Amino acid sequence: MPVDPLHSAARPPRSASSPPAKGAESGAVEVRRSARRRRTVSAYREGDRTIVLIPARMSDAEERRWVSVMLERLAAQESKRMLGDAELADRAARLSEQYLSGRARPDSVRWVTNQNTRWGSCTPAEGSIRLSHRLQGMPEYVVDYVLLHELAHLLVPGHGPDFWRLLEAYPRTERARGYLEGVVAADRLPHLPAARSE
């Protein structure tokens, strides 16, 4: 890897050989420190790696926090790019292979606009999975969780212990569930009237 002259000599850049940051289950995270960078933090994808650019003076704790924040932002930006039904089906196949040994094989996976009280649904007899359009724009790990949840229903119809055992392999199940619970709770909050401008 070429040496970046902006790295702080005291702290070498974190690279693919470093342990991945929290939230970086797929691909490596490389942190590049810059003496020129004062306050801003930025990140971008480079192949299967995520590059996070931070000021050289940041502490290790700040670095960890900002890497997590930037991974979340990138994931949200990527999931906002509209996935079509074909991409959603490809994603379902990848998740089934990765977490369910390829056993869940839906006949159709598609977005729908008529699901306002649930995030996804599955009809095992037809092998169909439908995801609510409200998931579009949410972080990728949340969409993956809902998709995996519905894939698991192709194998186990109810929400008993066997069903939840299938989802144990997905490392962000609890976080995704918490995110969705937060969205539901926020929707229930009273909306304050807009402030009047004088």
Side-chain angles (χ1 to χ4, degrees), residues 156-165:
V156 179
H159 288 104
D162 290 341
F163 173 82
W164 291 111
R165 260 191 294 280

Side-chain angles (χ1 to χ4, degrees), residues 25 98-99 141 148 167-176:
E25 284 86 7
Q98 187 172 359
Y99 297 106
Y141 74 90
L148 190 60
L167 293 179
E168 284 175 0
Y170 185 61
R172 303 185 86 177
T173 291
E174 289 308 312
R175 188 170 188 182

